[in-house]
Amino acid sequence: GLFSQETNQLDPNLTSMYDLPELMANRYGDLGSDRPHLVKLDGFYRLDANEVGFFTFGASIRGQSGLPINTLGSHPFYGDGESYLVPRGEGGRMPLTTRFDTHVAYGHALSDGMRLEAFVDIFNLFNQQPELAVDEIYTYSALNPIVGGDKKDLEHAKVLYENQGVEKNANYANTSDRQAPLSARFGLRLLF
């Protein structure tokens, strides 16, 4: 593929996915940016107040399904997060996220075809901060994928060339990114 989201490898048409047979295992399933549901609603209303100017009120609502969670391990030659230990997306899915933004503006005509406008945008109005990403690296040990396996099979996985149990990443499945908190933008623009 053009981009490997799980490892952030941006080498168009040159990702490691097909380099070795063991890297191709468990690659079927929901892709890293799969969002089955996405809702976008935008609305604006402009109120003319004659000689005083005009007011604009707007709102934007976004809702989207969470991303699939993978269970990744290391590969002895390619490094961390290159081996899908169980099928892609087997770790479940992150929660639904929503976001509410608002826009309020006041404008006044200075002359024919020229107006001055002051505005404020408020992003993430309700300060919702659900998780957007989790640490998907199950272990930093090198091991082969468990073809056709599931998460229960991970307890029997062995480190390559050492025949010992796997040391689990203590941060696996913990939140690594959250939605940006409440913020605002103030602006002044001259339109002509």
Side-chain angles (χ1 to χ4, degrees):
L2 295 175
F3 177 69
S4 176
Q5 180 167 339
E6 290 77 11
T7 60
N8 292 321
Q9 183 182 16
L10 181 57
D11 295 325
N13 298 315
L14 193 63
T15 60
S16 62
M17 183 184 292
Y18 301 106
D19 287 358
L20 301 170
E22 62 264 29
L23 292 177
M24 292 188 287
N26 293 331
R27 295 274 179 157
Y28 292 101
D30 296 331
L31 295 176
S33 59
D34 176 64
R35 292 189 188 272
H37 307 97
L38 183 61
V39 175
K40 296 180 179 183
L41 297 172
D42 295 302
F44 293 89
Y45 180 75
R46 184 169 171 174
L47 175 66
D48 283 324
N50 299 329
E51 293 110 31
V52 176
F54 64 90
F55 295 92
T56 305
F57 304 96
S60 175
I61 300 170
R62 301 284 186 263
Q64 57 190 5
S65 301
L67 296 172
I69 300 171
N70 297 309
T71 305
L72 306 173
S74 293
H75 187 272
F77 306 119
Y78 283 80
D80 299 335
E82 288 290 342
S83 180
Y84 284 80
L85 301 180
V86 294
R88 190 188 283 265
E90 186 76 18
R93 203 170 265 283
M94 285 177 266
L96 169 80
T97 60
T98 56
R99 180 174 155 156
F100 301 86
D101 301 332
T102 60
H103 173 85
V104 177
Y106 166 74
H108 187 73
L110 300 176
S111 66
D112 217 17
M114 184 182 290
R115 68 178 190 256
L116 186 65
E117 184 175 307
F119 65 91
V120 60
D121 293 321
I122 299 175
F123 304 103
N124 196 4
L125 182 64
F126 301 116
N127 199 26
Q128 297 171 309
Q129 296 179 40
E131 67 181 6
L132 299 178
V134 297
D135 187 348
E136 296 182 311
I137 297 180
Y138 181 79
T139 182
Y140 289 100
S141 302
L143 58 152
N144 281 327
I146 304 167
V147 179
D150 59 24
K151 289 187 83 168
K152 292 178 200 167
D153 295 321
L154 291 170
E155 60 191 58
H156 305 292
K158 302 283 186 226
V159 176
L160 283 177
Y161 315 118
E162 296 178 22
N163 198 25
Q164 68 181 22
V166 173
E167 184 178 338
K168 184 179 173 185
N169 173 15
N171 200 40
Y172 172 69
N174 287 336
T175 303
S176 61
D177 190 21
R178 291 195 174 277
Q179 184 167 275
L182 171 77
S183 62
R185 173 176 59 192
F186 299 94
L188 185 66
R189 60 182 156 215
L190 179 65
L191 302 157
F192 55 92

